[in-house]
Amino acid sequence: MDELRELVECEKIRRLKYRYMRAIDTHDFHLIRQIFCPDANVWFGNGTYTFSGIADILGFYTGLLTPGFVTSQIAVHPEIDLTGPDSATPIWEVG
């Protein structure tokens, strides 16, 4: 993969991460639905909470992100390694 293409792909991943954080902080469930593919899997708390499929993921978020629940996503210093034509390993420092 050439350098320019790598930069473009990394920027797409970075933008997706920030779109996700904005969706969570604004409780935008429509946007959350757009971010995840139908067969997505997520886990939180080192696997304590796991959800499979967009319906389960949205169920988790709609139960958690009630009107009085305030979040503030912080993720800095992204490191994104492209590992294949359709895969990457991104890491963000969160705080």
Side-chain angles (χ1 to χ4, degrees):
M1 186 179 293
D2 66 67
E3 247 179 60
L4 180 57
R5 178 102 172 121
E6 283 188 27
L7 288 172
V8 169
E9 294 304 315
C10 287
E11 181 60 18
K12 287 178 183 178
I13 293 168
R14 197 175 349 269
R15 288 175 57 88
L16 180 64
K17 173 69 170 185
Y18 292 129
R19 188 175 304 123
Y20 164 79
M21 294 188 314
R22 179 170 47 87
I24 297 302
D25 288 346
T26 60
H27 302 190
D28 187 337
F29 302 112
H30 178 72
L31 184 54
I32 293 170
R33 177 180 289 281
Q34 292 177 341
I35 290 168
F36 288 99
C37 61
D39 60 349
N41 296 295
V42 299
W43 59 94
F44 304 100
N46 291 325
T48 302
Y49 307 97
T50 61
F51 305 95
S52 296
I54 190 64
D56 285 347
I57 294 168
L58 279 174
F60 166 72
Y61 281 124
T62 56
L64 176 69
L65 301 174
T66 59
F69 191 85
V70 177
T71 64
S72 179
Q73 305 290 311
I74 299 171
V76 296
H77 311 299
E79 299 175 39
I80 302 168
D81 294 317
L82 301 176
T83 56
D86 295 320
S87 62
T89 302
I91 299 172
W92 272 266
E93 183 177 325
V94 295

